Amino acid sequence: MAQLKIVQMHKCFETLSSELRLKILESLLERPMHVEELADKTGSERSTVSHSLKVLKDCSYVQSEKSGKERIYSLTPGVLKGIKDRGEAHVFKFVDEHFQNYCNCECKRV
């Protein structure tokens, strides 16, 4: 059972390992947006943003709602529930604290 949980966590962190996906999540903290807005905000191509949104949606980080011919993307209620008052999800706070305390901008993996 523990092995299955580790595999599931690995997939979760794999989803969050993309800089673009993190930028999308950060953008959606502000308000729901459509693909074109997210592409402009992240400085990425629309097709790349669409692909990342599919991955985020498959993992239930985001949801979409059809509005005319467009889909409007927003954070899922579960993700919103995990967000603190300052707008940071618990996992992002943990990673930031780890980075500040242990990596100190000297990551050996870069």
Side-chain angles (χ1 to χ4, degrees):
M1 185 70 165
Q3 183 65 27
L4 179 59
K5 189 173 183 178
I6 289 171
V7 170
Q8 291 169 336
M9 285 183 180
H10 167 73
K11 292 294 183 186
C12 178
F13 281 107
E14 186 177 280
T15 298
L16 296 175
S17 69
S18 162
E19 184 177 355
L20 175 58
R21 290 184 211 133
L22 290 174
K23 285 180 181 179
I24 290 170
L25 292 174
E26 183 178 50
S27 297
L28 293 175
L29 280 171
E30 295 174 18
R31 62 181 174 79
M33 297 182 195
H34 57 76
V35 176
E36 194 64 42
E37 287 177 293
L38 288 164
D40 289 343
K41 187 143 180 88
T42 62
S44 301
E45 293 196 18
R46 185 180 177 148
S47 61
T48 306
V49 170
S50 291
H51 176 74
S52 288
L53 282 166
K54 181 181 180 343
V55 172
L56 290 167
K57 189 172 180 181
D58 288 348
C59 293
S60 300
Y61 286 103
V62 301
Q63 61 189 9
S64 67
E65 185 177 304
K66 197 160 183 161
S67 176
K69 292 183 178 183
E70 297 180 332
R71 290 207 171 272
I72 305 296
Y73 291 87
S74 61
L75 298 175
T76 59
V79 170
L80 286 172
K81 183 179 177 187
I83 294 177
K84 291 184 149 191
D85 293 334
R86 349 186 287 225
E88 270 186 301
H90 294 287
V91 70
F92 297 135
K93 184 176 187 304
F94 165 76
V95 171
D96 184 53
E97 286 175 2
H98 178 83
F99 179 79
Q100 296 298 325
N101 293 326
Y102 301 103
C103 298
N104 200 21
C105 299
E106 297 175 16
C107 181
K108 295 175 178 125
R109 295 193 68 194
V110 177

